[in-house]
Amino acid sequence: MAFNAEIARKDFPIFEEKMRGKPLVFLDSAASAQKPRAVIDAMARFYSTSYANIHRGVYELSERATGAFEGTREKARAFLNAPEAREIVFVRGTTEAINLVAATFGRTHIGADDEVLITHMEHHSNIVPWQLLCEEKGARLRVAPIDDRGALDVEAFGKLLTPRTKLAAISHVSNALGTVNPVSELVELAHAAGVPVLIDGAQAVPHQAVDVQALGCDFYAFSSHKVFGPSGVGVLWGKAEHLEAMPPYQSGGEMILTVSFEGSTWNEIPHKFEAGTPDIGGVVGLGAALDYVTGLGLDAISAHESELLAYASQALETVRGLRLIGTAPHKASVLSFVLDGIHPHDIGTILDQEGIAVRTGHHCAQPVMQRFDVPATARASLALYNTRADVDALVAGLERVRGVFAR
Ligand code: C6P
């Protein structure tokens, strides 16, 4: 059956709630997506029937829990079309995934006068870990520029790849602009210069199918909570050859093979990177979320959202004094904007009175705000459950905002 957002929306109990006495118009999925009943039920079922610590117990309940946890690893492998399940490392989210790579791969391979290449549109979590690493090592952070539409200058990116570049870290989709980067092309350029590539997929995986083998990248990171799963869980995929060569990240239980006071040896991947008891129920919830989006079909979700994004972009243009920040030719989900003479926080507060949830601020991408010379933007972000009615409500809400300030 063809994808139908009106039907999919019914899978999300949150839409039965009223906000400020009005139906919820949820346009903040880039911050965190709502959860379908399938995820909520899977977690409740897991805790009701199968919960115990994993990889440790010899009893049936622990086997059940381990099976459910490891089942998600295979689902995540399939979701990313990764070659092997042992290349899937469970982390707390995209932020931790990037910190893990910076602290292990980064510390090993980046030395004095080396360079890490990022882009001007990165989220803080794909800037600051590299900044700290560069400070520690006496290395340099290089930044590929973006144009006035918020599209990456690919030629400049290519020129910034030098023999000193030891890693490129790029967002797949920008959270502040919605720009979809041509990641396969960037990976090709980087690899031609012998540079491995990490892709921050936080804003990509809820909106399009991702195939890490087709992209050719070295690392790919995403967060469960943005792809309709619970928060506190995420995935780092890395090529086995990298993960095997990398030193451990955190240390303690589970990540070891042997421990003595003279020294310790490390477990096999991915366990080497999974110290301590993880968020077992969260990982199970992530598995249900991946099943859910895979069941709907990411190509169908993507087609629905592209159509809705085009509709919304046109509709917002009818609002007088509105300027879209981020008009790259290839975009997903995000509509960042400013309204002449009205602070984004006021926009958000007045929209909230109508039951409309948008995010306002710098969206953890302050360099993007600086690039466009705005202190903040209002950001509406779309997901599979949004419809034209949500966009129409937003436009009506913005007219109300303008009305309040015209008084
Ligand atoms: N962006 C937003 O409102 P965590 O917090 O670890 O799950 O994800 C961090 C992150 C990394 N990269 C990108 C591109 C992101 O968008 C985010 C999270 C949210 O835009 C919260 S700031």
Side-chain angles (χ1 to χ4, degrees):
M1 200 174 70
F3 176 76
N4 182 326
E6 291 290 356
I7 294 175
R9 191 179 173 85
K10 295 199 168 63
D11 296 336
F12 293 78
I14 199 77
F15 293 115
E16 287 154 30
E17 295 294 306
K18 292 265 188 300
M19 296 293 144
R20 312 279 178 211
K22 312 230 164 92
L24 169 64
V25 177
F26 190 72
L27 293 169
D28 196 21
S29 298
S32 201
Q34 294 300 335
K35 314 306 169 201
R37 195 170 282 108
V39 168
I40 299 165
D41 289 354
M43 292 178 76
R45 207 164 41 244
F46 175 72
Y47 282 118
S48 309
T49 66
S50 307
Y51 181 77
N53 210 330
I54 53 165
H55 300 145
R56 289 166 169 85
V58 291
Y59 49 88
E60 183 184 349
L61 198 52
S62 178
E63 278 172 18
R64 273 194 214 174
T66 303
F69 184 89
E70 290 301 326
T72 298
R73 205 184 302 277
E74 171 53 28
K75 288 174 189 185
R77 183 210 64 72
F79 185 70
L80 295 176
N81 191 32
E84 299 181 67
R86 68 191 182 114
E87 297 174 320
I88 301 290
V89 179
F90 290 121
V91 288
R92 280 192 298 123
T94 308
T95 303
E96 188 175 45
I98 297 170
N99 274 279
L100 189 161
V101 176
T104 57
F105 186 88
R107 280 214 183 105
T108 308
H109 293 283
I110 292 154
D113 295 326
D114 284 339
E115 294 179 354
V116 177
L117 178 58
I118 60 169
T119 82
H120 205 124
M121 71 180 87
E122 299 310 318
H123 184 277
H124 295 166
S125 61
N126 202 26
I127 301 174
V128 186
W130 307 118
Q131 219 161 30
L132 287 177
L133 179 68
C134 287
E135 270 172 27
E136 179 186 317
K137 295 288 188 171
R140 267 186 306 274
L141 189 64
R142 305 303 302 268
V143 182
I146 55 178
D147 67 19
D148 291 342
R149 302 166 305 169
L152 182 69
D153 182 338
V154 175
E155 205 184 317
F157 176 89
K159 287 195 180 131
L160 283 164
L161 291 162
T162 74
R164 291 253 159 246
T165 318
K166 293 296 181 296
L167 184 80
I170 312 157
S171 53
H172 197 162
V173 175
S174 150
N175 72 315
L177 298 165
T179 308
V180 180
N181 278 317
V183 280
S184 312
E185 191 185 345
L186 301 176
V187 169
E188 225 170 89
L189 282 171
H191 282 182
V195 176
V197 181
L198 173 142
I199 297 177
D200 168 355
Q203 297 293 350
V205 294
H207 309 296
Q208 63 177 86
V210 169
D211 179 335
V212 291
Q213 296 189 66
L215 294 178
C217 55
D218 296 87
F219 299 100
Y220 197 96
F222 73 88
S223 301
S224 156
H225 70 100
K226 294 197 204 278
V227 68
F228 314 102
S231 55
V233 176
V235 165
L236 169 70
W237 169 78
K239 282 185 177 161
E241 69 202 68
H242 292 318
L243 295 178
E244 276 176 340
M246 280 151 53
Y249 176 47
Q250 294 179 338
S251 51
E254 180 69 15
M255 52 75 70
I256 53 83
L257 197 59
T258 62
V259 175
S260 74
F261 291 122
E262 286 68 47
S264 304
T265 58
W266 314 137
N267 205 340
E268 292 174 347
I269 63 166
H271 309 293
K272 180 171 73 174
F273 297 107
E274 294 180 352
T277 301
D279 184 349
I280 305 164
V283 166
V284 171
L286 167 62
L290 298 182
D291 283 345
Y292 177 74
V293 284
T294 307
L296 290 176
L298 272 150
D299 289 344
I301 293 169
S302 180
H304 161 69
E305 289 184 14
S306 297
E307 189 276 328
L308 193 58
L309 185 65
Y311 177 77
S313 306
Q314 274 189 355
L316 287 184
E317 269 174 25
T318 66
V319 179
R320 204 145 50 82
L322 185 144
R323 179 162 67 103
L324 272 177
I325 305 289
T327 52
H330 197 186
K331 279 186 63 176
S333 169
V334 167
L335 298 134
S336 242
F337 57 90
V338 290
L339 262 182
D340 252 2
I342 306 175
H343 195 281
H345 291 322
D346 292 329
I347 300 175
T349 306
I350 298 168
L351 289 177
D352 172 54
Q353 296 306 310
E354 305 297 312
I356 303 169
V358 298
R359 186 173 170 188
T360 62
H362 54 61
H363 315 296
C364 304
Q366 288 186 22
V368 171
M369 302 299 122
Q370 289 149 15
R371 171 65 179 76
F372 288 90
D373 201 20
V374 290
T377 72
R379 183 189 69 180
S381 51
L382 308 171
L384 64 91
Y385 37 62
N386 290 116
T387 64
R388 286 186 176 208
D390 293 328
V391 173
D392 296 343
L394 173 65
V395 171
L398 291 172
E399 292 301 349
R400 198 176 130 71
V401 173
R402 280 180 38 78
V404 169
F405 278 84
R407 273 187 224 144

